[in-house]
Amino acid sequence: MSAPDAAAVARAKAALERMPARTRMIFFANRVEGLSYAEIARREGLFRWQVRRHMLRAIRIIARDL
């Protein structure tokens, strides 16, 4: 697998910066820290469906910008 080009990295970074803060935090908790939706919900005082909604929003933002 080849390394991503600089333009793709810049677009991904910009997409992450445009996300609402809570959405970005939930995205990183799931994708970087490896926490499940249930674990994130417990930690943040949310329902699992709310975590799922934030993840869907994050993925849509990234997909649109890449």
Side-chain angles (χ1 to χ4, degrees), residues 31-54:
R31 298 300 169 111
V32 177
E33 296 177 39
L35 298 178
S36 69
Y37 289 6
E39 291 168 325
I40 296 167
R42 227 179 352 267
R43 183 172 87 175
E44 297 300 316
L46 301 171
F47 294 105
R48 278 192 322 220
W49 66 264
Q50 291 172 303
V51 173
R52 183 176 185 274
R53 185 186 65 201
H54 281 284

Side-chain angles (χ1 to χ4, degrees), residues 4-66:
D5 63 74
V9 171
R11 287 192 307 270
K13 183 177 178 184
L16 291 170
E17 290 171 353
R18 272 194 295 280
M19 282 182 199
R22 182 168 239 176
T23 299
R24 184 175 45 251
M25 183 279 307
I26 288 171
F27 179 80
F28 274 97
N30 179 254
R31 298 300 169 111
V32 177
E33 296 177 39
L35 298 178
S36 69
Y37 289 6
E39 291 168 325
I40 296 167
R42 227 179 352 267
R43 183 172 87 175
E44 297 300 316
L46 301 171
F47 294 105
R48 278 192 322 220
W49 66 264
Q50 291 172 303
V51 173
R52 183 176 185 274
R53 185 186 65 201
H54 281 284
M55 286 298 296
L56 289 172
R57 181 181 298 151
I59 291 166
R60 281 189 198 118
I61 290 169
I62 292 169
R64 181 189 65 212
D65 292 355
L66 292 181

